[in-house]
Amino acid sequence: MNVQNFFEASLRESAEVKTRAIEQCAIDVARAVDLIVACYRNGGKLLLCGNGGSAADAQHLATEMMIRLSHDITRPSLAAISLGTDTSNLTACGNDLGFEQIFARNIEGLGRAGDVLIAISTSGRSPNILRAVERARARSHPRAVEHLD
């Protein structure tokens, strides 16, 4: 495949994914937005986690909430923490408790009733992401919102 064909195919695939997202995910996304808005109105915070590229997505979204999502909107900073950014915390937990506990342990220490967890996973099977969601649900804080790429 030549570069132009690859470029065109990639853009078409991206457009198809976005169209399917509108058709299949709009209701779930609206519910998640309502949950996050309620969290912030009640003084809560957003906790986010993911591995690899999903960790980068979590970090990016947390930054957008803290700084600003759009240049056209003036608003105060919104509390959001990406749980994958503290290397000392991650490596200590991975070494002492196991890699599958790295996010769950942080939810235990940082999560409070009314907070929201966004757990991002491409496969939907990452043990550390599943443990984080389990911990959030079991402790009733933060409530879990799952997004599987």
Side-chain angles (χ1 to χ4, degrees):
M1 179 181 296
N2 70 31
V3 172
Q4 182 174 346
N5 289 344
F6 176 78
F7 175 73
E8 290 175 10
S10 296
L11 288 179
R12 283 191 182 90
E13 180 182 8
S14 176
E16 289 169 11
V17 167
K18 291 172 180 144
T19 299
R20 281 195 314 269
I22 291 168
E23 294 166 355
Q24 298 174 15
C25 302
I27 292 171
D28 290 334
V29 169
R31 286 183 191 149
V33 168
D34 289 343
L35 186 67
I36 293 166
V37 168
C39 164
Y40 282 130
R41 284 191 174 140
N42 293 316
K45 65 185 164 298
L46 193 58
L47 302 173
L48 303 97
C49 63
N51 296 302
S54 297
D57 292 339
Q59 187 173 353
H60 183 183
L61 183 55
T63 299
E64 294 290 0
M65 301 309 276
M66 292 289 293
I67 306 307
R68 66 179 175 193
L69 191 58
S70 169
H71 293 283
D72 300 327
I73 299 171
T74 301
R75 62 156 174 81
S77 180
L78 301 171
I81 302 169
S82 176
L83 301 177
T85 58
D86 184 340
T87 56
S88 296
N89 182 301
L90 295 173
T91 57
C93 187
N95 186 63
D96 295 353
L97 303 176
F99 188 73
E100 69 280 356
Q101 295 295 331
I102 63 171
F103 300 128
R105 187 69 170 183
N106 280 270
I107 290 166
E108 182 180 324
L110 296 170
R112 299 293 175 257
D115 290 347
V116 170
L117 170 66
I118 297 180
I120 307 170
S121 174
T122 300
S123 71
R125 296 183 301 273
S126 299
N128 60 351
I129 300 297
L130 295 175
R131 290 273 174 100
V133 172
E134 289 169 8
R135 180 68 50 90
R137 287 182 174 148
R139 296 181 59 120
S140 297
H141 71 74
R143 295 187 317 210
V145 174
E146 300 171 52
H147 170 75
L148 305 177
D149 293 351

Short mmCIF file of all heavy atoms in Angstrom, two decimals, residues 12-30 147-149:
data_model
loop_
_atom_site.label_atom_id
_atom_site.label_comp_id
_atom_site.label_asym_id
_atom_site.label_seq_id
_atom_site.Cartn_x
_atom_site.Cartn_y
_atom_site.Cartn_z
N ARG A 12 -10.53 7.24 6.66
CA ARG A 12 -11.86 6.63 6.51
C ARG A 12 -12.19 5.75 7.71
O ARG A 12 -13.31 5.78 8.21
CB ARG A 12 -11.91 5.82 5.22
CG ARG A 12 -12.08 6.69 3.99
CD ARG A 12 -12.40 5.86 2.74
NE ARG A 12 -12.49 6.74 1.61
CZ ARG A 12 -11.46 7.07 0.83
NH1 ARG A 12 -10.26 6.58 1.06
NH2 ARG A 12 -11.62 7.89 -0.18
N GLU A 13 -11.22 4.97 8.15
CA GLU A 13 -11.45 4.12 9.32
C GLU A 13 -11.77 4.96 10.55
O GLU A 13 -12.68 4.64 11.32
CB GLU A 13 -10.23 3.24 9.59
CG GLU A 13 -10.40 2.33 10.79
CD GLU A 13 -9.18 1.49 11.09
OE1 GLU A 13 -8.11 1.71 10.46
OE2 GLU A 13 -9.28 0.62 11.96
N SER A 14 -11.03 6.05 10.74
CA SER A 14 -11.28 6.94 11.87
C SER A 14 -12.70 7.52 11.79
O SER A 14 -13.41 7.57 12.79
CB SER A 14 -10.24 8.06 11.89
OG SER A 14 -10.51 8.98 12.91
N ALA A 15 -13.11 7.95 10.62
CA ALA A 15 -14.46 8.50 10.45
C ALA A 15 -15.52 7.45 10.75
O ALA A 15 -16.54 7.75 11.38
CB ALA A 15 -14.63 9.06 9.03
N GLU A 16 -15.29 6.21 10.32
CA GLU A 16 -16.25 5.13 10.58
C GLU A 16 -16.36 4.85 12.09
O GLU A 16 -17.46 4.62 12.59
CB GLU A 16 -15.82 3.86 9.84
CG GLU A 16 -16.00 3.97 8.34
CD GLU A 16 -15.34 2.82 7.58
OE1 GLU A 16 -14.92 1.82 8.22
OE2 GLU A 16 -15.24 2.91 6.35
N VAL A 17 -15.25 4.86 12.77
CA VAL A 17 -15.26 4.63 14.22
C VAL A 17 -16.05 5.74 14.91
O VAL A 17 -16.87 5.47 15.80
CB VAL A 17 -13.83 4.54 14.79
CG1 VAL A 17 -13.82 4.61 16.31
CG2 VAL A 17 -13.15 3.26 14.31
N LYS A 18 -15.85 6.97 14.50
CA LYS A 18 -16.57 8.09 15.11
C LYS A 18 -18.07 7.99 14.82
O LYS A 18 -18.90 8.28 15.70
CB LYS A 18 -15.99 9.41 14.61
CG LYS A 18 -14.59 9.64 15.16
CD LYS A 18 -13.92 10.83 14.55
CE LYS A 18 -12.54 10.96 15.16
NZ LYS A 18 -11.53 11.41 14.25
N THR A 19 -18.44 7.58 13.63
CA THR A 19 -19.85 7.42 13.30
C THR A 19 -20.47 6.31 14.15
O THR A 19 -21.57 6.47 14.69
CB THR A 19 -20.02 7.10 11.80
OG1 THR A 19 -19.51 8.20 11.05
CG2 THR A 19 -21.48 6.88 11.44
N ARG A 20 -19.77 5.18 14.30
CA ARG A 20 -20.27 4.09 15.15
C ARG A 20 -20.37 4.54 16.61
O ARG A 20 -21.30 4.14 17.31
CB ARG A 20 -19.37 2.86 15.02
CG ARG A 20 -19.64 2.08 13.76
CD ARG A 20 -19.03 0.68 13.79
NE ARG A 20 -17.67 0.60 14.26
CZ ARG A 20 -16.58 0.67 13.50
NH1 ARG A 20 -16.69 0.84 12.20
NH2 ARG A 20 -15.37 0.57 14.02
N ALA A 21 -19.43 5.36 17.05
CA ALA A 21 -19.47 5.86 18.44
C ALA A 21 -20.73 6.68 18.66
O ALA A 21 -21.38 6.56 19.70
CB ALA A 21 -18.22 6.67 18.76
N ILE A 22 -21.08 7.52 17.70
CA ILE A 22 -22.31 8.32 17.82
C ILE A 22 -23.51 7.39 17.89
O ILE A 22 -24.39 7.55 18.75
CB ILE A 22 -22.46 9.28 16.62
CG1 ILE A 22 -21.40 10.39 16.68
CG2 ILE A 22 -23.87 9.90 16.58
CD1 ILE A 22 -21.29 11.21 15.40
N GLU A 23 -23.54 6.39 17.04
CA GLU A 23 -24.69 5.48 16.97
C GLU A 23 -24.80 4.58 18.19
O GLU A 23 -25.89 4.30 18.67
CB GLU A 23 -24.59 4.62 15.71
CG GLU A 23 -24.71 5.42 14.42
CD GLU A 23 -24.27 4.64 13.19
OE1 GLU A 23 -23.76 3.49 13.33
OE2 GLU A 23 -24.41 5.17 12.07
N GLN A 24 -23.67 4.11 18.72
CA GLN A 24 -23.69 3.09 19.75
C GLN A 24 -23.38 3.57 21.16
O GLN A 24 -23.69 2.87 22.12
CB GLN A 24 -22.70 1.97 19.38
CG GLN A 24 -23.06 1.28 18.09
CD GLN A 24 -22.00 0.27 17.65
OE1 GLN A 24 -21.13 -0.10 18.42
NE2 GLN A 24 -22.07 -0.15 16.41
N CYS A 25 -22.77 4.74 21.28
CA CYS A 25 -22.29 5.16 22.61
C CYS A 25 -22.89 6.46 23.12
O CYS A 25 -22.59 6.86 24.25
CB CYS A 25 -20.76 5.30 22.57
SG CYS A 25 -19.90 3.80 22.10
N ALA A 26 -23.70 7.14 22.34
CA ALA A 26 -24.17 8.47 22.73
C ALA A 26 -24.89 8.46 24.07
O ALA A 26 -24.66 9.33 24.92
CB ALA A 26 -25.06 9.06 21.64
N ILE A 27 -25.76 7.50 24.30
CA ILE A 27 -26.52 7.44 25.56
C ILE A 27 -25.57 7.19 26.74
O ILE A 27 -25.67 7.86 27.78
CB ILE A 27 -27.63 6.37 25.48
CG1 ILE A 27 -28.69 6.83 24.48
CG2 ILE A 27 -28.23 6.12 26.86
CD1 ILE A 27 -29.72 5.77 24.15
N ASP A 28 -24.64 6.26 26.58
CA ASP A 28 -23.69 5.97 27.66
C ASP A 28 -22.78 7.16 27.95
O ASP A 28 -22.47 7.45 29.11
CB ASP A 28 -22.85 4.74 27.32
CG ASP A 28 -23.66 3.45 27.34
OD1 ASP A 28 -24.68 3.40 28.06
OD2 ASP A 28 -23.27 2.51 26.62
N VAL A 29 -22.36 7.86 26.92
CA VAL A 29 -21.50 9.04 27.12
C VAL A 29 -22.28 10.12 27.85
O VAL A 29 -21.76 10.75 28.78
CB VAL A 29 -20.93 9.55 25.77
CG1 VAL A 29 -20.27 10.91 25.95
CG2 VAL A 29 -19.94 8.54 25.20
N ALA A 30 -23.53 10.33 27.47
CA ALA A 30 -24.36 11.34 28.16
C ALA A 30 -24.54 10.98 29.63
O ALA A 30 -24.47 11.86 30.50
CB ALA A 30 -25.71 11.47 27.46
N HIS A 147 -14.53 2.89 30.29
CA HIS A 147 -14.44 3.20 28.88
C HIS A 147 -13.47 2.21 28.28
O HIS A 147 -12.31 2.19 28.65
CB HIS A 147 -13.95 4.63 28.66
CG HIS A 147 -13.61 4.91 27.23
ND1 HIS A 147 -14.59 5.09 26.27
CD2 HIS A 147 -12.43 4.98 26.59
CE1 HIS A 147 -13.99 5.28 25.11
NE2 HIS A 147 -12.70 5.21 25.28
N LEU A 148 -13.94 1.40 27.37
CA LEU A 148 -13.08 0.44 26.72
C LEU A 148 -12.86 0.90 25.29
O LEU A 148 -13.81 1.02 24.53
CB LEU A 148 -13.70 -0.96 26.74
CG LEU A 148 -14.08 -1.46 28.15
CD1 LEU A 148 -14.74 -2.83 28.05
CD2 LEU A 148 -12.86 -1.53 29.04
N ASP A 149 -11.61 1.17 24.93
CA ASP A 149 -11.31 1.64 23.57
C ASP A 149 -11.78 0.64 22.53
O ASP A 149 -11.68 -0.52 22.68
CB ASP A 149 -9.81 1.85 23.39
CG ASP A 149 -9.27 2.99 24.25
OD1 ASP A 149 -10.07 3.71 24.85
OD2 ASP A 149 -8.07 3.13 24.27
#
